[in-house]
């Protein structure tokens, strides 16, 4: 293995410590405590784990955490009424509605009812438009975490060829917008892309956001390129560690690490950065709401 391992766990701990330092200063200087409200509808086990983890981490950095757990059959008008209340609550600076929502709820309608200034997931159509036009917005957490790691590793990204494999609204497209904003030459690849291996071979930066276990092998990687693996896939065949299953990314770690200059592992790469960036976004939203300077290095 020759690649530098980009340690997302360690990086996320640094981001959280930075957020905590700013939160303490906000309290001391202005008597303001950032607040994050998380809304969970139903009892999806994975969502419950995420929400618990978000609440715990929010409190750990000194922010106020507000959890709203609603029944699986909650009527849309009741969910919208709760969001309206949170939009108007000055103690709440960030609102996150945990996705996926139960089928009877219109996710687009619900997300677009959040005040864009409090939309810490960056999914509101206004934030999507602002990011797409290179303006100040709330930025989706996972791509923001990838961008932070890339900036940390490369310094300037200007002029680098970046290939984002995947065009989803939550990862692929915002990632491409962020890389373009940092002056990369960006290609977005997807399931209809022709000659994908050759497209990826042209990249100085490869972002894998496909959702297919170990789909990108080392011989698609340009020597010295940086590989950011967003994928989280659970597979059988427990070669590493214990248990019957294990987590792998969208990139084949061992072969990519032979060729790449730097690579994020799975687990322990992009994953831990997502919650850290949620906290960073809540802090940013709080500073903006109070007309205060935004923290450096925690936004796009
Ligand atoms: P989606 O399923 O929404 O999108 C997957 C994308 O991959 C689509 O654009 C699809 O193309 C493309 N794709 C599928 N198959 C191929 C193929 N054979 N060749 C090229 N492109 C292909 O996934 P998400 O963006 O939501 O998530 C991607 C991965 O990232 C998942 O593993 C997910 O678990 C993980 N993830 C991790 C997070 C983290 O915190 N680390 C957060 C969010 C996601 P098309 O549009 O043509 O169908």
């Amino acid at each position: 293995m020759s690649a530098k391992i980009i340690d997302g766990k360690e990086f996320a701990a640094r981001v959280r410590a930075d957020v905590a330092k700013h939160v303490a200063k906000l309290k001391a200087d202005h008597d303001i405590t950032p607040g994050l409200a998380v809304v969970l509808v139903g009892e999806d086990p994975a969502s419950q784990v995420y929400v618990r983890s978000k609440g715990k981490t929010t409190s750990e950095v000194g922010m106020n955490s507000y959890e709203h757990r609603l029944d699986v059959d909650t009527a849309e008008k009741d969910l919208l009424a709760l969001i309206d209340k949170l939009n108007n609550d000055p103690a709440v600076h960030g609102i996150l509605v945990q996705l996926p929502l139960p089928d009877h709820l219109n996710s687009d309608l619900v997300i677009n009812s959040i005040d864009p200034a409090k939309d810490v997931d960056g999914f509101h159509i206004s934030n999507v438009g602002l990011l797409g036009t290179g303006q100040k917005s709330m930025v989706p957490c996972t791509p923001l975490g990838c961008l932070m790691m890339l900036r940390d590793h490369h310094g300037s990204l200007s002029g680098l060829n970046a290939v984002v494999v995947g065009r989803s609204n939550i990862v692929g497209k915002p990632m491409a917008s962020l890389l373009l904003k940092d002056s990369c030459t960006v290609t977005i690849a997807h399931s209809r892309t022709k000659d994908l291996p050759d497209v990826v071979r042209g990249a100085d930066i490869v972002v894998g956001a496909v959702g297919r276990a170990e789909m990108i092998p080392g011989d698609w990687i340009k020597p010295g390129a940086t590989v950011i693996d967003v994928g989280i896939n659970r597979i059988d065949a427990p070669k590493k560690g214990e248990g019957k299953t294990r987590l792998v990314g969208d990139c084949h770690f061992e072969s990519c690490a032979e060729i790449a200059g730097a690579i994020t592992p799975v687990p322990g790469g992009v994953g831990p950065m997502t919650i850290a960036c949620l906290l960073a976004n809540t802090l940013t939203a709080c500073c903006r709401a109070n007309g205060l300077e935004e923290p450096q290095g925690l936004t796009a």
Side-chain angles (χ1 to χ4, degrees), residues 38-291:
V38 177
V39 180
L40 173 63
V41 186
E43 287 169 6
D44 177 66
S47 294
Q48 287 192 328
V49 173
Y50 293 141
V51 167
R52 211 174 303 129
S53 166
K54 283 167 187 170
K56 183 169 168 275
T57 323
T58 304
S59 303
E60 278 169 4
V61 296
M63 294 184 184
N64 289 327
S65 167
Y66 309 102
E67 270 181 40
H68 296 268
R69 290 169 182 265
L70 306 182
D71 285 346
V72 67
D73 54 2
T74 297
E76 196 164 82
K77 70 172 180 24
D78 293 334
L79 177 56
L80 294 177
L82 171 62
I83 292 173
D84 187 51
K85 201 172 132 218
L86 298 172
N87 282 342
N88 290 298
D89 184 343
V92 172
H93 304 98
I95 302 169
L96 181 150
V97 176
Q98 184 66 44
L99 299 175
L101 287 171
D103 288 346
H104 69 283
L105 299 170
N106 178 340
S107 298
D108 287 340
L109 178 72
V110 170
I111 296 303
N112 289 325
S113 72
I114 298 172
D115 178 348
K118 298 189 178 189
D119 167 40
V120 282
D121 251 345
F123 295 160
H124 190 289
I125 194 69
S126 298
N127 283 316
V128 174
L130 288 168
L131 178 60
T133 49
Q135 300 181 67
K136 191 191 263 191
S137 66
M138 295 307 300
V139 177
C141 302
T142 300
L144 178 58
C146 297
L147 181 76
M148 283 184 188
M149 293 193 286
L150 283 167
R151 283 179 174 168
D152 185 67
H153 179 67
H154 284 274
S156 169
L157 304 182
S158 180
L160 296 177
N161 285 332
V163 173
V164 180
V165 191
R167 58 174 163 178
S168 73
N169 290 334
I170 62 166
V171 187
K173 284 180 197 153
M175 185 74 249
S177 295
L178 288 171
L179 291 166
L180 193 58
K181 203 165 168 235
D182 268 27
S183 297
C184 290
T185 303
V186 182
T187 304
I188 306 179
H190 47 77
S191 66
R192 307 294 174 91
T193 297
K194 288 190 177 141
D195 302 324
L196 183 59
D198 277 346
V199 171
V200 174
R201 278 185 197 113
D204 304 304
I205 293 170
V206 180
V207 180
V210 184
R212 287 177 177 254
E214 302 180 318
M215 192 193 91
I216 299 172
D219 67 0
W220 292 13
I221 303 298
K222 175 172 156 180
T226 302
V227 177
I228 303 290
D229 195 346
V230 181
I232 303 175
N233 310 286
R234 187 165 285 285
I235 61 164
D236 292 336
K239 251 195 204 156
K240 285 184 190 161
E242 296 112 38
K244 289 190 176 149
T245 61
R246 65 191 170 105
L247 290 181
V248 295
D250 290 342
C251 304
H252 184 268
F253 182 80
E254 287 76 13
S255 61
C256 288
E258 293 289 333
I259 311 287
I263 186 167
T264 58
V266 177
V270 174
M273 288 297 286
T274 298
I275 291 188
C277 287
L278 175 66
L279 303 176
N281 276 350
T282 305
L283 174 65
T284 299
C286 178
C287 291
R288 287 179 187 170
N290 288 284

